[in-house]
Amino acid sequence: MTDGELTLAEVSELSRRVLDRVSQAVVGKAEALELVLAGVLAGGHVLLEDYPGLAKTLAARSFAQALGLEFRRVQFTPDLLPSDVTGAFVYDQKESEFVFRPGPIFTGLLLADEINRTPPKTQAALLESMQEHQVTVEGQTFPLPTPFHVLATANPVEYEGTYPLPEAQLDRFMLRIGFGYPTPAEEWEVLRRRMSRRSEDQTVDAVTDAAGLLAAQRAVETVTVDDTVGQYCVDLAAATRRDSQVLVGASPRGSLALLLTARAYAVINGRDYVVPEDVKAVAVAALAHRITVRPELWLHEVTGATVVRTVLGTVAAPPTVVGAAQA
């Protein structure tokens, strides 16, 4: 908990404590959890796309608890209306006027569960809030709390009754992350912990609060980024646009997300400056969902992640970080 400013060293320590608390509930997945936290520290929103039952919802709730944020969960369904998310004006008989009743989006961390199961009209209700941190209803604009983050989940394999997110919506997510199946040892640990706990519910203690997270995000803004590293981010995004397998490459928002997330990732790993390895570590999560592969290559299992890994192997990284010693 904090009322003042944090140093980058304190943010790094805070990050380790948050990850330790979340790992009490989520077994394994250390790299994925680091990326989720990096996205939050960078001020962005994160899409968790993977098979059912891989702790996506549990991870979102655990991060909200560890970060001390108010948490709301919305189960996205085909009959969900935009007003069910944003809120609506209702008639107050006592006052004889319409008053605004805020929806679940007015929170610190919103879990948009199975976001691809709701129609585009309801998906679009999130666009303004994710980009502008505000909601407009009936011509009136209402600011959202700060900090405000969306963690959304999506099922990538079951397409019946789903509405794939359009590129404009995907682009609003700073990162797209998959957890993957656990190893046999990790899966047994999940079972062992459940038997030991003797309860289905899991909670983790708060490490900080909303003010502390805001202070951490402000500190991340001071991370040193050498021009060569920034240019490396630009070169990677530009390379995706030139790739012969790509119909639409990553936009400048992609290179910006790459840089911002790399800063937060560096702090989580105990540094106050960004090195090329930080950029490489977050590249797939930051760029892959912003790439549209040529349709004829889908049968060959070419994906945005495939393209990003290809450009990582072809675009030369800066050999040194000039000025890192002074950071």
Side-chain angles (χ1 to χ4, degrees):
M1 316 293 177
T2 182
D3 293 323
E5 299 302 311
L6 296 175
T7 66
L8 288 174
E10 290 172 332
V11 176
S12 180
E13 172 60 24
L14 176 68
S15 300
R16 302 318 306 178
R17 290 166 56 202
V18 168
L19 290 172
D20 286 344
R21 294 288 172 85
V22 173
S23 65
Q24 293 175 6
V26 182
V27 177
K29 314 307 174 195
E31 293 182 4
L33 295 177
E34 280 192 354
L35 288 173
V36 174
L37 182 57
V40 172
L41 287 177
H45 311 285
V46 180
L47 176 63
L48 305 176
E49 187 174 272
D50 217 321
Y51 305 124
L54 296 183
K56 301 185 296 296
T57 300
L58 175 62
R61 185 172 64 247
S62 298
F63 269 112
Q65 292 171 347
L67 293 170
L69 301 178
E70 182 182 0
F71 177 73
R72 299 280 182 87
R73 175 179 180 268
V74 177
Q75 184 66 46
F76 280 69
T77 57
D79 60 349
L80 194 72
L81 299 174
S83 59
D84 294 330
V85 179
T86 62
F89 281 92
V90 296
Y91 187 71
D92 186 334
Q93 292 185 343
K94 182 177 180 180
E95 301 293 335
S96 298
E97 64 180 2
F98 284 92
V99 296
F100 181 67
R101 180 173 294 171
I105 202 169
F106 287 84
T107 187
L109 192 150
L110 175 72
L111 172 59
D113 215 0
E114 295 188 289
I115 191 173
N116 58 335
R117 289 200 175 278
T118 202
K121 186 175 182 179
T122 304
Q123 292 175 359
L126 289 175
L127 285 176
E128 181 185 14
S129 61
M130 292 172 67
Q131 187 65 29
E132 309 295 338
H133 286 200
Q134 64 184 28
V135 168
T136 301
V137 180
E138 299 292 338
Q140 294 192 37
T141 299
F142 303 91
L144 292 171
T146 54
F148 168 74
H149 296 278
V150 174
L151 295 188
T153 69
N155 183 346
V157 292
E158 187 180 359
Y159 294 111
E160 184 176 354
T162 64
Y163 305 84
L165 292 174
E167 284 73 11
Q169 181 99 18
L170 278 174
D171 207 33
R172 294 302 194 280
F173 287 99
M174 183 170 283
L175 302 175
R176 182 178 66 180
I177 300 168
F179 280 9
Y181 283 113
T183 65
E186 290 171 345
E187 192 164 356
W188 163 240
E189 179 65 13
V190 172
L191 273 59
R192 189 195 65 78
R193 290 188 187 184
R194 173 61 181 84
M195 292 187 294
S196 176
R197 193 168 61 248
R198 298 185 179 182
S199 172
E200 186 64 29
D201 296 333
Q202 297 187 74
T203 59
V204 299
D205 295 331
V207 173
T208 185
D209 55 15
L213 176 57
L214 287 173
Q217 291 173 338
R218 289 193 296 269
V220 170
E221 292 289 342
T222 68
V223 172
T224 299
V225 182
D226 188 76
D227 289 349
T228 58
V229 176
Q231 186 61 51
Y232 181 49
C233 295
V234 172
D235 292 343
L236 287 173
T240 66
R241 303 165 202 158
R242 298 191 300 267
D243 193 290
S244 60
Q245 305 173 106
V246 171
L247 193 63
V248 179
S251 69
R253 186 180 280 142
S255 56
L256 181 60
L258 187 58
L259 181 59
L260 297 180
T261 311
R263 291 193 313 187
Y265 190 85
V267 174
I268 292 173
N269 286 275
R271 279 176 281 98
D272 57 2
Y273 58 91
V274 179
V275 296
E277 286 68 26
D278 298 321
V279 176
K280 295 177 182 178
V282 304
V284 173
L287 296 180
H289 62 294
R290 307 174 194 273
I291 296 171
T292 303
V293 176
R294 293 187 178 279
E296 64 269 21
L297 297 177
W298 292 348
L299 292 176
H300 299 280
E301 298 184 348
V302 177
T303 65
T306 307
V307 174
V308 175
R309 294 188 182 100
T310 298
V311 301
L312 283 173
T314 57
V315 176
T320 58
V321 182
V322 180
Q326 288 79 36

